[in-house]
């Protein structure tokens, strides 16, 4: 009888995962089916998938330079590796407008910061106002009501 080798290192566990879209979907569909059929605990699945996300982020954050260095060997053209198309290319572009020396932009930034602060203060007042209030705006008397509070319930998972 053939024995199935169990993964015994983090890399051997990671190697169990496929990188094709179809395989990823099949894997996910199997988990979803197990939960819907009552064979798996949905909260355990939430904890495990959150753990997988945290592991992926931690590993990629700590290997970013290694990954860039390896990808640079292929130049700037797309290449296939491990069932994925990869490319060393620009993944984010930021513009630093403060270095432009544009007095109009600088003034608009100051105005924007002042307005944002005023909006923030007004929102804080609106949140705490309690009951509707009549407020004079110019020649007009306006009734201001507290903001509508909308919340969405969901599962919060915090890995400890």
């Amino acid at each position: 009888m053939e024995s199935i080798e169990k993964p015994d290192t983090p890399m051997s566990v990671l190697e169990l995962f496929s990188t094709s879209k179809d395989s990823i979907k099949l894997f996910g569909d199997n988990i979803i089916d197990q939960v819907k059929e009552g064979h798996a605990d949905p909260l355990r699945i939430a904890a495990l998938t959150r753990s997988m996300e945290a592991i992926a982020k931690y590993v990629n954050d700590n290997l970013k330079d290694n990954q860039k260095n390896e990808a640079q060997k292929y130049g700037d053209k797309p290449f296939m590796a491990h069932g994925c198309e990869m490319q060393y290319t620009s993944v984010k572009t930021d513009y630093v407008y403060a270095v432009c020396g544009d007095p109009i932009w600088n003034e608009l930034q100051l105005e924007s910061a002042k307005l944002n602060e005023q909006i923030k203060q007004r929102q804080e007042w609106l949140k705490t106002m309690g009951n509707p209030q009549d407020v004079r705006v110019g020649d007009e008397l306006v009734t201001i009501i507290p903001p509508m509070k909308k919340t969405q319930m969901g599962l919060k998972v915090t890995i400890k």
Side-chain angles (χ1 to χ4, degrees):
M1 178 184 231
E2 255 183 72
S3 67
I4 298 174
E5 217 174 293
K6 291 186 178 182
D8 59 353
T9 66
M11 270 308 298
S12 61
V13 171
L14 194 57
E15 292 287 351
L16 292 174
F17 291 93
S18 174
T19 58
S20 78
K21 286 182 182 181
D22 290 341
S23 295
I24 292 167
K25 184 179 182 320
L26 179 63
F27 187 87
D29 286 344
N30 284 329
I31 293 170
I32 292 165
D33 291 345
Q34 289 290 305
V35 170
K36 290 187 174 184
E37 292 169 5
H39 302 298
D41 177 357
L43 297 180
R44 175 117 175 100
I45 300 303
L48 291 172
T49 55
R50 186 58 47 102
S51 176
M52 290 170 62
E53 291 170 354
I55 291 167
K57 180 175 177 0
Y58 177 77
V59 168
N60 285 319
D61 285 352
N62 284 280
L63 294 180
K64 195 171 288 193
D65 289 339
N66 302 77
Q67 293 163 348
K68 286 180 190 177
N69 291 339
E70 189 65 24
Q72 284 176 328
K73 295 176 184 176
Y74 296 89
D76 62 354
K77 301 283 187 240
F79 60 94
M80 291 300 294
H82 312 290
C84 295
E85 181 178 286
M86 299 184 186
Q87 181 178 10
Y88 182 73
T89 186
S90 174
V91 293
K92 182 179 179 184
T93 301
D94 289 322
Y95 292 93
V96 182
Y97 297 103
V99 301
C100 294
D102 179 357
I104 295 172
W105 182 87
N106 292 338
E107 182 61 33
L108 290 170
Q109 278 298 108
L110 286 172
E111 289 175 32
S112 175
K114 289 176 187 174
L115 286 173
N116 286 338
E117 183 57 32
Q118 289 175 0
I119 289 170
K120 184 179 172 184
Q121 289 174 0
R122 189 65 174 190
Q123 288 171 336
E124 287 302 316
W125 177 77
L126 289 167
K127 280 194 282 188
T128 60
M129 65 183 280
N131 298 320
Q133 294 184 20
D134 291 332
V135 176
R136 182 158 305 280
V137 178
D139 296 344
E140 192 177 350
L141 191 61
V142 178
T143 301
I144 299 176
I145 60 172
M148 177 176 52
K149 183 177 181 179
K150 293 171 45 174
T151 58
Q152 181 176 343
M153 299 301 290
L155 179 62
K156 179 180 176 182
V157 179
T158 305
I159 297 175
K160 300 286 183 177

